[in-house]
């Protein structure tokens, strides 16, 4: 019998923290950070993502990134695209 497909689920809070820390190290962000809530996506390298930026609001100096997850597994980071709608999301400080 072929294996039963189980769609990816959103990452837990601990997985988001760990994944964002990995992403921050990859793109070498420093200072205060902000994230958005976990949201599903139909593009990118995974099924869920959070938006990430340096604290200080939108500008050319603080671009937004998308951090991707499948279940609790970090799948990568990339510059946010218009389709991610990161700039329209409520931001919360990342601890």
């Amino acid at each position: 019998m072929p294996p039963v497909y189980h769609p990816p689920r959103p990452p837990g809070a601990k997985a988001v923290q760990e994944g964002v820390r990995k992403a921050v190290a990859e793109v070498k962000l420093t200072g205060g950070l902000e994230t958005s809530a976990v949201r599903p996506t139909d593009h990118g390298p995974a099924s869920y993502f959070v938006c990430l930026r340096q604290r200080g609001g939108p500008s050319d100096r603080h671009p937004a990134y998308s951090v991707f997850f499948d279940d609790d597994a970090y799948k990568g980071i990339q510059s946010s695209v218009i389709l991610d709608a990161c700039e329209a999301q409520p931001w919360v400080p990342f601890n």
Side-chain angles (χ1 to χ4, degrees), residues 63-90:
Y65 296 90
S66 297
V67 182
F68 293 91
F69 299 87
D70 273 338
D71 301 316
D72 286 341
Y74 167 70
K75 294 294 186 176
I77 184 171
Q78 65 186 31
S79 293
S80 178
V81 295
I82 292 172
L83 190 59
D84 295 340
C86 285
E87 298 306 327
Q89 299 305 306

Side-chain angles (χ1 to χ4, degrees), residues 1-33:
M1 301 264 308
V4 176
Y5 173 72
H6 296 285
R9 59 178 169 69
K14 183 178 179 183
V16 169
Q17 283 191 337
E18 291 171 0
V20 167
R21 285 190 183 105
K22 288 178 185 177
V24 166
E26 283 182 35
V27 294
K28 298 176 177 55
L29 295 178
T30 59
L33 302 169

Side-chain angles (χ1 to χ4, degrees), residues 43-65:
H43 63 281
S47 297
Y48 292 89
F49 77 106
V50 297
C51 298
L52 169 69
R53 71 177 180 193
Q54 286 184 288
R55 198 174 294 156
S59 75
D60 290 339
R61 295 181 318 136
H62 301 287
Y65 296 90

